[in-house]
Amino acid sequence: MSQQFTYYSNELCQIHQEPCTNMCINTKCLQPLCPECIEIHFREHKECQIESLKSCRTNCSKKIRSSISEMNQILSLQEMKTIENSSQYIELCRESLQQLKSKIIDKIDLYNKKLLQDFSTNLIQAFKESQIKEVYNRIKNLIQQLDELGTKLETQSDCQIKTIRSIYLLNTTQLIQSANQEAYKEILKLKFPLLVVSQNLNQKLDELFSQSIQIQFKKTNTTMLKIEEKQQLINQPINIQDVPSLDQTPLLSQISEIQQVKKQSEFTITVEDYLLPSVQNKVLHYFKYNSNELNLINLDNPKEMKKINLKIPFQIPVFHQSLITKTGQLYLIGGTTIDNNYPNTKSNGIYLLDKYSLVNVGSLLISRSSHGCCIVGDYIYSISGLGQNQTLEKTCERYNYILRKSESIQDCLYPSIASCCVNYNNQFIYKFGGLYEKQQMNFIERFNIKDMIWQAIDPQITNKDIPLFKGLKQFAAGVQISPNSLMIFGGYDENTVSSNQSFLFTIKGENHILHMVNIKPLKIPGGFWHQQCIIYKQELYVIQNQENKDGETMETKTILRFKDRWIIC
């Protein structure tokens, strides 16, 4: 049955005392109007929207009914119907989670496929750069040499005192430890990218699957609401990609960022520590010429120096070479013996520090002094230098400090004294300059460890570096600081004038570039009688000669550190 309405309000107009028939529906006004007010309101209210009360009632009624209808639709949602029965809602969620699980699996499969492609590409390159084959061959060679010693004992009828003594002196514990550490180091290099990805992925999955649910139940954020509104508008289920994660960076991007190396200075030291972690006393060292004194510098506190008076029946030869191995054993090799009663002679002695003494553990095949020296693997290489009667030696040799055996290698191309010899990736020894017949020698050559041959090297020098480069010095020092670069610094010219020159020598396959000349010059010009550099905690440590006011070299030394700049300790 229809109901009749009167469209006059029982509210009277306050101005004309007439029943109101209309209303201004501008929400800033909402003024009821009698017939006489309408014309006045049009004049006074520029934004008026006048409707009859009948029309107003109809519109309001529609608004109410529409709102009720939409709210009933919300209550009709399946999830809302289960409000009194949690088990029904759990079943409902289980179906949704199964769909989500399928999507996650699809994404993981896609990620794994991409990861396999990346690893296939990167591992090919990693194997090219890896030294695992060299380590394998070195260990195999050591086994063969040990087997030869064992065969001698079993097959020779007479009692070989020399062989027995060699085996007793052989430090098999160190031999096994060194082989084990080298092998695992190379294996870890190949496994490391996979370990990083695995660790990072597990961590992110834990965050995604355990923390995100709890956080969403505790707090509904505005981002989530926006996603819901968006999905309602397009009437599609929420995609897992749209759900805000704990970290807005996608997982693949995060892994990529971890694997990327930060942009670094050309002089940033990125190679591993020289001394193995098992070495307890990490020290820099030098023997004082013509004395029995050994000085040890603590790398953790370079101002801390320990002076040891060795119990030895001879004086330390001048212009000898001394090196510490990765396992912490300290060797003294060759040099010139000073004796006022006899002509100066060159030493062929190879000595190992044993507590407070030096034990003779071998001999150079050729007595030499002021020679180049370098450790590669289990060998100490002695290169060129001065022989007996001050003859310039072109001969070279190496000493296996595990088996305590010396052997000749190919003669170098450019014999010299006081050259700088640097190990590069255990594959090559680069020999820089030195002195030849009292002249500065500006030649570079390298020894190929695998092929056992010397090769001349003609590097490129950038145009801007040509006027800065003052040639290759005698008694310079050098060390590998990154996978492709050596740093060479200091030394003396043919007139023993000290140099503060430094440069980088970068190797790219068969291309060699000499560059960055004097970007990082030494603070104090000078040479290095003790040329071995130690890399420790991404810093370079070396012992520089110190000179008096007259330019004469003194026995006092300067300890230098380098980490993108030179520091005098």
Side-chain angles (χ1 to χ4, degrees), residues 513-530:
I513 304 168
L514 194 158
H515 61 126
M516 295 290 184
V517 176
N518 279 350
I519 298 297
K520 305 288 182 180
L522 293 174
K523 283 193 171 185
I524 302 173
F528 299 85
W529 287 348
H530 309 276

Side-chain angles (χ1 to χ4, degrees), residues 494-511:
E494 62 265 36
N495 299 314
T496 65
V497 175
S498 296
S499 170
N500 68 346
Q501 176 178 268
S502 74
F503 60 86
L504 288 185
F505 191 79
T506 298
I507 300 105
K508 296 181 178 179
E510 292 302 310
N511 297 319

Side-chain angles (χ1 to χ4, degrees), residues 266-303:
E266 293 270 6
F267 290 86
T268 300
I269 296 172
T270 58
V271 295
E272 297 174 343
D273 286 0
Y274 174 72
L275 296 169
L276 295 175
S278 57
V279 177
Q280 293 183 350
N281 299 315
K282 294 179 171 59
V283 296
L284 202 61
H285 79 279
Y286 71 92
F287 291 95
K288 185 177 179 180
Y289 284 175
N290 206 29
S291 74
N292 65 343
E293 183 181 304
L294 167 65
N295 293 277
L296 302 177
I297 296 96
N298 183 353
L299 292 178
D300 288 308
N301 181 14
K303 293 183 179 180

Side-chain angles (χ1 to χ4, degrees), residues 89-107 209 238 240:
Y89 186 64
I90 291 171
E91 287 300 317
L92 180 67
C93 290
R94 182 175 283 113
E95 183 180 345
S96 298
L97 288 173
Q98 282 297 116
Q99 296 174 2
L100 183 63
K101 174 184 173 182
S102 298
K103 291 180 180 180
I104 291 172
I105 291 172
D106 290 342
K107 287 187 178 297
F209 297 133
I238 296 176
I240 187 174

